[in-house]
Structure formats: structure tokens, C-alpha cells
Amino acid sequence: MSVQQEAVADGEELEVWIDQDLCTGDGICAQYAPEVFELDIDGLAYVKGAGDELLQVPGAATPVPLPLLTDVVDSAKECPGECIHVRRVSDRVEVYGPDAE
């Protein structure tokens, strides 16, 4: 079952956030999902909010659009800094990323 199929089957809304303290600035996330991630002038990656606004408050999260879920999950898996966290909105349990069970 694909990542998208799992999310649809679970019926869970997901959100993603980046721990900038661990970000290495490699930009892999922005390559996989430029609609969700962007590097700022400080060289670190941030998630984007409504209107492509960079969310620079520590721990700021943004919803994961279902069509981009696979790209966001791949970003979390490939991130050398292990700083991308994808969690369920309902209970904030991490489902993809370094703290996922």
C-alpha cells in the first residue's frame, strides 16, 4: 500500500514541521516538495503556509496536501539532518520522520 493510500485509509489529516536546529540546509526537501518547503536567506529550510509564506516560528507546522504526501514523506526519509517531522493533526503523533514509531 502506498503512503497516499495509507493516509486515505486512515482518514487522518497530516501536518509537517521542520526542526531548524537540526537542519543542514541541503535543500533536499525543497527539491522534493517545493510547494511545501523552501530555503530561506539563512540557509535553513522552512515549511510554507497560506500564500507561500515561510513559517519561521520554531515548530510551526503546515498541512500536508494529499497529492504531495509522498513527496513530503520522501523528504523526511532522505533528509540528512533528520529534521522533518510529519504528524497526525488529531493527536500530534509523528508518523514519518526521526521520531516516528
Side-chain angles (χ1 to χ4, degrees):
M1 185 179 292
S2 75
V3 170
Q4 288 176 322
Q5 289 169 329
E6 286 177 24
V8 170
D10 292 343
E12 293 285 346
E13 290 184 37
L14 301 175
E15 62 186 5
V16 61
W17 67 282
I18 296 176
D19 182 345
Q20 279 78 28
D21 290 337
L22 299 176
C23 180
T24 58
D26 287 273
I28 291 171
C29 56
Q31 291 174 6
Y32 274 108
E35 303 88 350
V36 177
F37 305 106
E38 185 175 321
L39 293 177
D40 197 14
I41 194 167
D42 62 5
L44 301 177
Y46 295 86
V47 295
K48 294 182 183 181
D52 286 342
E53 172 191 3
L54 290 186
L55 304 179
Q56 295 176 306
V57 175
T62 195
V64 178
L66 188 56
L68 300 176
L69 180 58
T70 300
D71 294 334
V72 170
V73 170
D74 287 345
S75 296
K77 289 179 180 177
E78 298 297 324
C79 177
E82 296 185 345
C83 64
I84 300 173
H85 304 266
V86 180
R87 63 186 175 208
R88 290 189 300 253
V89 173
S90 62
D91 60 6
R92 299 175 61 93
V93 169
E94 187 162 324
V95 292
Y96 300 104
D99 298 331
E101 297 177 2

